[in-house]
Amino acid sequence: MAQIGASELIINPDGSIYHLNLKPGELATDIIIVGDPGRVPLISRHFDHIELTRQNREICTHTGSIGGKRISVLSTGMGTDNIDIVLNEIDALFNIDLKKRKVRNKHVSLNIIRLGTSGALQQDIPVDTAIVSTHGIGLDGMLYYYLDSHSIIDHELTRAFISQTHWNRSFPQPYVVEASDKLLNTIGRKFNKGMTATAPGFYGPQGRRLRLETTHPDLNQAIAGFEYNGMKVANFEMETSALYGLGKLLGHQTLTICAIVANRVAKQYSKDYHKTMEQLIGTVLEAVRDL
Ligand code: R1P
Ligand code: URA
């Protein structure tokens, strides 16, 4: 296997990887990711012990332990472009020898669980509840930059989505990727399930109009009306499709659970979603201990 060049795998002078600013050994194999750096201490305060804290840009990492299990929590910032950076660098810390710049022979598989916020697309999903994503429906196009994406995309579901929603051809081509069975059947069992649409933005790409008109005024109705084997799209957020896609391509288990902070159909917004997030954190940390 050839060496990976200095411009492709960027290592800081102290031996840490470029954006995460972490060295091999500083992340646990069970990792919780969140969008908001402010959510990291809300999770790590439940740890019995914190061994490392690190911050670079919007990426804040705490590694510690809970109930004898080593665990990390790390913020990604918003969007699938950040997921591309964070997932590739997390994987490199375990599966590439950073000194030799070579892929390691022995693959390490990680559990990566996202705790996020989202907007419900169905009238009957109340704010201040939580949804686990059975599938990420990528409206962002990111995964298509990876050659093997075709092998992990659910093509039948993707085709049904494109056809039922009359998907606008000037938007990126959608792709659908399933959650990891292992995490869905363990941690995911504790939550209501739904498919999650991952948008490449918060306003126009999620059908919000402030001062600008959108190309497709019925976008949200079209997505909410999509049905496949009795499954519907429950919520909108901005990371899951890329997390599920890159997780599968790199050989890791991934799962997203989101608090519902807004209902886009009922036009409601949570009065205090932090309580829901706190409950979500408690339930997930308990389940991670048993993984
Ligand atoms: C938008 O407000 C952000 O919130 C959601 C979206 O996916 C996007 O990142 O998730 P987080 O609360 O995890 O950031
Ligand atoms: N995050 C999103 O991406 N969309 C919402 O409506 C709420 C949170």
Side-chain angles (χ1 to χ4, degrees):
M1 168 63 81
Q3 269 202 332
I4 304 170
S7 61
E8 312 304 295
L9 171 64
I10 304 175
I11 307 297
N12 299 316
D14 67 354
S16 64
I17 198 156
Y18 192 38
H19 299 94
L20 300 188
N21 242 311
L22 295 168
K23 295 180 201 156
E26 293 185 325
L27 272 184
T29 53
D30 289 306
I31 304 167
I32 294 182
I33 62 170
V34 296
D36 179 1
R39 206 173 295 145
V40 170
L42 299 183
I43 296 178
S44 67
R45 75 179 179 200
H46 295 272
F47 293 0
D48 304 326
H49 163 72
I50 298 177
E51 65 181 61
L52 167 128
T53 64
R54 188 72 44 78
Q55 171 93 40
N56 186 42
R57 299 183 185 235
E58 60 268 67
I59 305 161
C60 170
T61 306
H62 292 184
T63 294
S65 63
I66 186 162
K69 171 160 267 202
R70 194 162 182 251
I71 183 169
S72 294
V73 54
L74 173 157
S75 58
T76 63
M78 294 181 270
T80 54
D81 45 355
N82 281 3
I83 294 292
D84 177 64
I85 291 173
V86 169
L87 259 280
N88 274 293
E89 293 193 8
I90 288 177
D91 177 74
L93 286 174
F94 289 90
N95 291 310
I96 297 177
D97 182 326
L98 301 189
K99 291 207 174 92
K100 293 186 181 151
R101 299 182 162 279
K102 287 191 171 175
V103 175
R104 292 185 190 279
N105 292 328
K106 192 169 177 299
H107 177 262
V108 177
S109 183
L110 309 167
N111 294 318
I112 307 175
I113 300 131
R114 164 170 153 73
L115 299 189
T117 59
S118 67
L121 281 166
Q122 305 293 338
Q123 174 99 34
D124 61 353
I125 301 179
V127 294
D128 299 325
T129 58
I131 289 285
V132 60
S133 308
T134 58
H135 298 77
I137 303 184
L139 311 178
D140 54 290
M142 195 276 285
L143 204 67
Y144 288 116
Y145 286 88
Y146 292 93
L147 182 64
D148 283 339
S149 57
H150 64 91
S151 67
I152 53 118
I153 289 172
D154 185 328
H155 292 285
E156 203 181 302
L157 223 162
T158 301
R159 272 195 298 274
F161 180 82
I162 291 170
S163 134
Q164 283 186 40
T165 57
H166 304 290
W167 196 249
N168 186 325
R169 283 176 185 274
S170 61
F171 293 168
Q173 171 95 344
Y175 61 90
V176 183
V177 185
E178 266 186 79
S180 129
D181 275 347
K182 178 187 136 190
L183 295 183
L184 193 60
N185 295 328
T186 51
I187 301 176
R189 269 193 309 120
K190 298 171 186 277
F191 299 95
N192 290 326
K193 295 185 171 58
M195 295 190 285
T196 295
T198 297
F202 186 79
Y203 289 98
Q206 293 187 30
R208 287 185 169 94
R209 273 176 289 167
L210 303 185
R211 288 211 310 124
L212 298 177
E213 291 301 315
T214 57
T215 318
H216 189 340
D218 298 327
L219 178 74
N220 290 6
Q221 287 99 307
I223 296 173
F226 171 60
E227 194 165 348
Y228 186 84
N229 289 343
M231 299 184 294
K232 288 198 156 202
V233 181
N235 54 347
F236 247 147
E237 50 78 92
M238 296 171 55
E239 291 83 16
T240 295
S241 57
L243 173 66
Y244 285 8
L246 286 178
K248 277 211 160 55
L249 288 175
L250 292 165
H252 306 301
Q253 280 66 245
T254 55
L255 191 71
T256 293
I257 306 148
C258 279
I260 302 294
V261 300
N263 185 301
R264 303 296 310 291
V265 187
K267 307 218 178 307
Q268 287 166 347
Y269 186 74
S270 166
K271 291 197 175 61
D272 181 10
Y273 76 80
H274 296 99
K275 279 189 213 150
T276 315
M277 185 54 75
E278 193 50 48
Q279 275 175 4
L280 185 54
I281 291 168
T283 310
V284 167
L285 284 178
E286 210 176 287
V288 168
R289 266 187 277 192
D290 298 337
L291 275 180

